[in-house]
Amino acid sequence: MPWELDNERPIYLQLMERIQKDIISGVYQPGDKLPSVRELALEASVNPNTMQKALSELERNGLVYAQRTSGRFITKDVAVLENLKVTLATEHTQLFIENMKQLGFHEKEITELVQQALKGDSTWKNC
């Protein structure tokens, strides 16, 4: 999947988010070796220093660890990965609810819409 970056937010944060999503979605498994900074920077079309900053932040957060001469690896700590997954899901859910309320939907209507979407029903039936 191509790296879609915008100039509205710091690039290193967007890189961190993308790598986090790749880890949570299973692109990278616990213990997997990440590509080198240069390889990732080339793939994302960013400066290697920017990618280095993103990876250093992920390392500081405990999601990635470095082995001196071998590179960077995804943590094997399943609790850290599960916590990240729940945190990201909560953020997305809260943003979704906020956006739906801004559209004028009430909690009951939001719940109904989500239930219909989970069933594959895209038609809106007013509550």
Side-chain angles (χ1 to χ4, degrees):
M1 179 158 74
W3 296 67
E4 295 179 18
L5 305 171
D6 65 60
N7 292 326
E8 301 297 316
R9 299 176 41 240
I11 299 299
Y12 84 96
L13 289 176
Q14 295 176 66
L15 297 172
M16 286 177 60
E17 290 168 358
R18 168 62 188 270
I19 294 168
Q20 288 173 335
K21 286 180 185 176
D22 284 350
I23 293 168
I24 295 305
S25 68
V27 172
Y28 299 116
Q29 298 294 317
D32 278 357
K33 184 176 192 269
L34 284 171
S36 72
V37 171
R38 290 193 185 281
E39 290 171 318
L40 285 170
L42 184 61
E43 182 181 328
S45 300
V46 298
N47 185 300
N49 291 331
T50 305
M51 184 60 74
Q52 176 64 36
K53 182 175 181 177
L55 292 171
S56 293
E57 287 296 315
L58 291 173
E59 194 173 331
R60 190 178 352 265
N61 295 341
L63 194 58
V64 171
Y65 66 94
Q67 287 188 343
R68 201 164 183 87
T69 58
S70 301
R72 284 193 172 92
F73 296 81
I74 305 303
T75 183
K76 294 177 185 175
D77 188 340
V78 178
V80 169
L81 298 173
E82 188 60 31
N83 185 44
L84 174 62
K85 187 175 188 174
V86 170
T87 299
L88 291 177
T90 300
E91 290 172 2
H92 285 283
T93 302
Q94 289 172 339
L95 182 60
F96 169 75
I97 292 169
E98 181 181 315
N99 287 334
M100 295 303 287
K101 286 182 176 179
Q102 288 176 359
L103 290 172
F105 288 96
H106 299 286
E107 287 181 20
K108 182 179 178 187
E109 294 170 318
I110 296 168
T111 302
E112 177 72 20
L113 280 171
V114 170
Q115 288 174 346
Q116 288 176 357
L118 288 171
K119 293 177 185 174
D121 184 0
S122 62
T123 59
W124 166 245
K125 299 172 186 113
N126 202 354
C127 296

